[in-house]
Amino acid sequence: MDRWFWIGLGGAAGTLARYGLSTWCQQRFGAGFPYGTLAVNVLGSFLLGAIGEIAESTALLSPTLRLSLSTGLMGGFTTYSSFNNETLRLIHYKSWAAGLANITITLVGCLLAGALGMIVAKRLVAS
């Protein structure tokens, strides 16, 4: 039962962090492109890559903490469903270039961020 509590707490924290970053991005860069969702997904991919690497290569994270951070915090933070909805809306309103840009930047950015998170974490735990 403890795991459920910690995963739920992590999810709540991730949701609040997602809202905060998305709101900040929209205020900073405008609402014409889903910058907030893009930022959340790229940062979330980086962090999830780092969490996974640390969990698999060290004993720093207990199984419960790993679940709390990955399933809870990152699950609440990342927003694939928002990405999907926003991209479909861009396409629906014939903003083909913006829709394709969102797909491409999100896919490539998240893959690169996840790999970078793994590399950074590997170097941090090796030192």
Side-chain angles (χ1 to χ4, degrees), residues 104-115:
T104 303
I105 294 168
T106 298
L107 178 64
V108 173
C110 289
L111 288 171
L112 290 174

Side-chain angles (χ1 to χ4, degrees), residues 1 7 10 22-23 29 35 38 47 56 66 81 89 92 110:
M1 192 63 175
I7 291 169
S22 293
T23 300
F29 303 112
Y35 295 106
L38 177 61
L47 293 173
E56 290 185 21
R66 178 184 184 170
S81 58
R89 287 189 176 282
H92 175 77
C110 289

Side-chain angles (χ1 to χ4, degrees), residues 53-75:
E53 181 62 34
I54 291 168
E56 290 185 21
S57 63
T58 72
L60 293 174
L61 302 178
S62 69
T64 299
L65 182 55
R66 178 184 184 170
L67 278 173
S68 299
L69 293 174
S70 59
T71 303
L73 185 67
M74 292 296 95

Side-chain angles (χ1 to χ4, degrees), residues 14-29 35-44 77:
T15 299
L16 292 171
R18 177 182 71 223
Y19 178 75
L21 181 56
S22 293
T23 300
W24 180 84
C25 285
Q26 185 173 5
Q27 291 170 348
R28 176 87 165 107
F29 303 112
Y35 295 106
T37 302
L38 177 61
V40 162
N41 285 334
V42 171
L43 179 59
F77 184 66

